[in-house]
Amino acid sequence: MRVLILGATGKIGRLALERALADGHDVVALVRETSRLERREGLAVVTGSIGDVTVIRGALEGSSAVIAAVGPRSNTAEDELALEVGMRNLTAAMEVAGVHRLIALSGAAVAVPGDRKPLLDQLASVLVRRFARHVVGAKQREYEVFSATALDWTALRPPLVIDGPPKGYRLAGQLKFGARVSRADVAQALVDQLADTRFGRAAPFVLPKDRP
Ligand SMILES: NC(=O)c1ccc[n+]([C@@H]2O[C@H](COP(=O)([O-])OP(=O)(O)OC[C@H]3O[C@@H](n4cnc5c(N)ncnc54)[C@H](OP(=O)(O)O)[C@@H]3O)[C@@H](O)[C@H]2O)c1
């Protein structure tokens, strides 16, 4: 499958890019700075901003799905707005192009209707929102944008992410207190969603696989 990846220069986006190529997908990466990605077979790099809908339309050509792994680089109102505008541009371009599948990297602190979070996690979310207001705000606004569309979206919400090898993950409707998951597992989960139809228009948490 040909897939457009946004945020492919980020920590998780890079791993998702590698995973998608390893799984045999053709990848188009829309990046702000071309020099930040090494060229290789199966990868096409488009340079431009998510703030430019024409650039997104061009990058989308021929793709069947999008992985949006963009995250604010700073805790500022400017980055918060840039992400919201970027998601508006992306979803509008997808609707015009008839590309329906959107897999978004979201976060456990993002509030979703019907959420089942342990009390301590709810308190943690309050603290995160207090100290990283625009970071959480950006991801919340992004969620509000794509969840209001008719697209076939899935938002993956990892809790605390850590480095390290993939150890296996599971997608769950309920957050587990203190859970942490590796970036590699989150990247794997993003790519696995290209073929998984079980989480359409849902925002599961990405948790480490339960040990037997
Ligand atoms: N526990 C949690 O809640 C949790 C955990 C992990 C991740 N997340 C979410 O997932 C996001 C991504 O994680 P990460 O660690 O991979 O982030 P990261 O390393 O900071 O990468 C952010 C990516 O977004 C891109 N980006 C940022 N602003 C942009 C803009 N205005 N236009 C175009 N691209 C832009 C960056 O591009 P440049 O390279 O050009 O800057 C980069 O590719 C996080 O920001 C967070 O929101 C949440």
Side-chain angles (χ1 to χ4, degrees), residues 74-125:
S74 65
N75 183 30
T76 60
E78 195 185 8
D79 265 17
E80 182 176 338
L81 180 63
L83 253 73
E84 181 187 349
V85 169
M87 186 51 74
R88 284 195 192 287
N89 287 339
L90 174 66
T91 52
M94 288 177 73
E95 279 163 351
V96 169
V99 178
H100 302 295
R101 186 73 177 121
L102 171 63
I103 300 144
L105 172 57
S106 188
V110 170
V112 166
D115 252 350
R116 287 184 291 151
K117 293 181 185 174
L119 188 61
L120 282 173
D121 279 291
Q122 291 178 35
L123 291 174
S125 290

Side-chain angles (χ1 to χ4, degrees), residues 7 9-12 32 36 50 70-71 73 105 107-108 139 158-159 161:
T9 52
K11 288 192 208 80
I12 295 171
R32 296 196 273 195
R36 301 205 57 212
I50 55 171
V70 175
R73 283 293 194 189
L105 172 57
K139 297 310 272 183
V161 289

